[in-house]
Amino acid sequence: MSMSGRKSSKVFLSFSIISLIFLSLISASSAQIIAPEGPGIEWEKPDSHRLFLKGDASSPFLDNNWSSLTGQPIGSIDFQKTVGSTNLIDIQSAPLTENINFNGNITVHLFASLDVANDGCKFSNVIPGSPLGSETKFLVSLSLGNNQILTDTETNSIVMEESFTLAHEFLIDVNNVNATLQKGDLIGLRIDVIHDCAQTGVLWWDTYDATTGIEFKGELIYPELDQTVDPNGIIRVEFTPNSPWGNDLYISQVLEVIGPVEWQDMIHGNADENTRLDHFETPHGIRVDELNRTVLTWSSQSRLSPGKYMIDSCYKLSDQDPGETCDLIGVLRFEVLEPEPSLLNGTWAAILIPLSIIFWIGISMKEALLPLPAYGVILLLALTTLGPAMNLPDIDFEEPRFEGASPSFSLYEHGESQELVEFSELLSNYDAIVIGLFTPSSPYAEIQRVDFEIAQKVIDDDVAFIQIATGEGVNSLDLEELVNQINGSWPVLMDTPDSSVGKSFPSRASDSVFVIDSAGFISSWKPGTMSSQSIEDAVESSYYGSGNLPLDLLGLIIGTTFLPLVVLAMPRGDKYEIPDSPLIPGAGSVLTLYSSSIGFALWALPISLLSILGFGSYWLYIEILLSLILIYHGISMLIRGGIKEIEIIGKVIYSKLPEPYQIWWKENKFLDDMYLGLWIAWLLWLRVPSSIPQAIGAVGRSGLIGFLICIIFFFGYMLMAGLVAVIFRTILVIVGDFTRILGSLSVGLRPRAWGLTCAILGVWVLISILTGPLMIK
């Protein structure tokens, strides 16, 4: 082999060996990083903590603030050559604020030098360690509460030279210290000196590089980091800065909410920018826990979706090197779970209704067999009910009513007066109500106070503002500061011990703000807090129906709400006949619009009157009554194919029509259109329960102009309901004879099948109210 070949082989071999060594080092270092595998918390704490000698020669003291001063130290004390030892320092720390059990080592650091920059002591050190020597040493006594750790223990001996710029360090190490200290105990430090040199010595402290004091090498602080996520996905972070030296040990903190990420990626400083959801520094609030400890709190504005998250926290401590960024690191891993499923949701109703109709068809087929297309129409009806069924409220224990009136309450005001505040009285006396819910010691209580204060100045109308403390652990003592700041501008109420009022709201017992209109219905709400501008806009919107308008009925056509009308609006089978006498153009559509509007009004008029008269505080019971009426309508349709009361009213109204119209438009067609209007009202209630009460009731209670507007709105709803019926009738006519034939074949079956559907829908809503909001009360 040539010389160049041997050199190449050696180079390649050397490179391979170096690469293997490098890779093995990387593997070894990687193996030391244990990836997290689940929820929990991990702390990276400092190896040691310190108490520094501070003050001046006349009044020295101990504290835990590492000085960053450079140049000549602030603190110093002189000592001279004497016979025996001379006391320099005899001090005690401030009382401890926490009980501690210290296991570890202790080092006492002393920095001293001569007050002149020469080697005089060195030249006079004839025989070191003898009367002819010039060495310096210190005697240290240290006590931790009742535990005497050091008693006149000598440091190392040094022949001092130089000045403060290169001060000598004198040390005493004590290993395996096991001491228990109680809250209120003192740490005592006594320093004596034996100085054999004729030149003046100086003990220095209170600068960056002269850290005279006590170093505790072991675990001494036990901080706590916790989080809670409310039902709305808003996270609340709490940090308890436990320390035997008090909360001042923690200078600053930076916390970040990160996620969703996988467990193995939850390492400090390892998050991508797009996963950083929130950034906290200055606390949003401060509370005192049951152990009388200070707790710093933060709340996020953003909602957390189900997934895995971490709180990456970094803290700066006063007794650590000022040059470091993070002295204490805490990583809290947690998971936001999917909401627990309800006992029954709308999907089950969507399954139950078709199955019930199929079962009913099977029973009816035993008595008489109809043509198969008739059963096809009924199955189509069952499919069209999937839309209304999917929008039904969930059935679950203590589930609040998400669509409807505000929960009613009667709570006592916190303060000297302790007056009873009732929701019904608020509705009678104010045009709107702004309610702020907050949990114990939540930072949102103060944020709500500021927003309410600004909104109260901007809104000139008669609007009531109240705050309600809800949730677990509500304590009247926690409300004192808030009540003092509010200073009587609005009442602060305390929820019942079981938080029944807070749980009745859609946000449940969590931080949130609600704007209630004059009829008692929720106009707008937001988790956490609501800005003053948003409050003003929501109050203004509540005067005009909170966004509910008659035109919304036409908008619902393109959704699934009115799908059952595709089947219910099928004609009876009669062919279109030209009237014998001249009638107004489009007389058939006009009659359909008129009769279906009347059918809609039969349902909407009493609901409108009840809301205008201020029955909003009892609306939960009104909805129970409505559910019972829907069940009755369904059973009546199922048994006899009609509703007696509707038919009586319909026949009276039909009799008032001019005779040519009665001759051309049969009574059964008029009643069918009335029923269509009634079904439109029920379907609207199932989809948007607060539509009519807010658009008519709240508007009618907002003054004389509002009363006139609500009348216009009422007739507008009647007109739109009639127009919806006309649209469905027209579409089915345009399709042709096919729908007419199907309608004639199923004319006796459709009302009964729909009656069964209505009964099931009514029972579902009734059970959801009885097991949900009514049970909370």
Side-chain angles (χ1 to χ4, degrees), residues 67-309:
S67 177
S68 58
L69 177 69
T70 57
Q72 183 169 351
I74 297 174
S76 64
I77 190 169
D78 298 342
F79 48 87
Q80 306 291 333
K81 177 178 175 65
T82 58
V83 178
S85 62
T86 302
N87 178 254
L88 300 180
I89 300 292
D90 192 356
I91 56 175
Q92 290 180 317
S93 70
L96 300 185
T97 59
E98 296 281 347
N99 299 336
I100 59 171
N101 184 15
F102 177 73
N103 289 279
N105 304 327
I106 295 177
T107 299
V108 178
H109 299 262
L110 304 177
F111 289 84
S113 67
L114 301 178
D115 65 350
V116 290
N118 60 48
D119 296 335
C121 288
K122 181 178 181 180
F123 295 144
S124 61
N125 188 30
V126 180
I127 304 177
S130 71
L132 299 178
S134 296
E135 296 179 333
T136 302
K137 61 184 176 183
F138 294 90
L139 307 177
V140 178
S141 297
L142 175 65
S143 61
L144 305 181
N146 296 324
N147 306 281
Q148 191 66 38
I149 307 301
L150 297 173
T151 304
D152 291 333
T153 305
E154 296 182 356
T155 66
N156 51 314
S157 296
I158 298 177
V159 179
M160 292 197 298
E161 308 171 14
E162 307 300 341
S163 64
F164 70 87
T165 57
L166 291 173
H168 304 281
E169 184 176 15
F170 296 81
L171 298 173
I172 294 180
D173 290 318
V174 188
N175 298 324
N176 301 321
V177 176
N178 187 351
T180 300
L181 290 85
Q182 303 297 322
K183 181 178 180 180
D185 281 352
L186 306 176
I187 296 177
L189 177 66
R190 177 185 171 89
I191 302 174
D192 294 339
V193 65
I194 298 177
H195 181 55
D196 294 334
C197 181
Q199 290 182 309
T200 302
V202 183
L203 179 66
W204 305 100
W205 65 83
D206 212 1
T207 190
Y208 180 82
D209 53 354
T211 54
T212 294
I214 309 165
E215 180 181 9
F216 299 86
K217 299 176 181 178
E219 195 166 9
L220 203 62
I221 60 173
Y222 299 90
E224 296 178 11
L225 183 64
D226 200 3
Q227 59 77 33
T228 55
V229 179
D230 70 15
N232 301 300
I234 301 297
I235 184 173
R236 177 172 170 180
V237 182
E238 294 190 344
F239 173 65
T240 308
N242 295 332
S243 161
W245 322 129
N247 301 330
D248 293 339
L249 176 68
Y250 298 82
I251 302 175
S252 62
Q253 59 280 318
V254 176
L255 299 89
E256 291 185 322
V257 181
I258 296 170
V261 293
E262 295 302 320
W263 297 126
Q264 62 268 21
D265 298 325
M266 296 186 183
I267 300 172
H268 171 68
N270 192 41
D272 294 331
E273 190 62 34
N274 59 353
T275 62
R276 300 175 190 269
L277 304 180
D278 221 325
H279 179 96
F280 302 135
E281 291 188 26
T282 304
H284 295 162
I286 298 175
R287 72 178 183 89
V288 178
D289 67 6
E290 61 278 3
L291 300 178
N292 201 32
R293 301 179 302 180
T294 299
V295 180
L296 311 182
T297 62
W298 295 266
S299 288
S300 175
Q301 288 282 3
S302 56
R303 301 187 184 188
L304 301 188
S305 58
K308 303 179 181 68
Y309 296 86

Side-chain angles (χ1 to χ4, degrees), residues 667-686:
E667 183 182 74
N668 56 7
K669 295 175 66 176
F670 186 87
L671 291 177
D672 286 348
D673 290 335
M674 275 192 65
Y675 278 121
L676 275 183
L678 178 65
W679 305 141
I680 289 172
W682 279 121
L683 290 171
L684 176 64
W685 178 68
L686 292 171

Side-chain angles (χ1 to χ4, degrees), residues 231 398 400 407-409 411 437-440 468-475 493-510 772-773 775-777:
E398 297 188 351
S408 181
F409 57 83
L411 298 172
L437 298 180
F438 65 92
T439 51
I468 302 176
T470 187
E472 296 182 5
V474 174
N475 192 323
L493 313 181
M494 284 188 60
D495 202 350
T496 58
D498 59 351
S499 304
S500 60
V501 174
K503 292 178 181 177
S504 300
F505 281 89
S507 65
R508 298 178 175 87
S510 62
M775 184 172 288
I776 297 176
K777 289 180 173 294

Side-chain angles (χ1 to χ4, degrees), residues 41 87 108 128 160 184 199 203 216 235 252 337 377 399 410 458 470 476-477 506 544 561 583 663 685 696 734-735:
I41 187 169
N87 178 254
V108 178
M160 292 197 298
Q199 290 182 309
L203 179 66
F216 299 86
I235 184 173
S252 62
L337 301 175
V377 171
E399 182 83 358
S410 180
V458 174
T470 187
S476 59
L477 297 177
Y544 302 101
T561 301
L583 304 177
I663 295 173
W685 178 68
I696 298 174
I734 293 175
V735 172

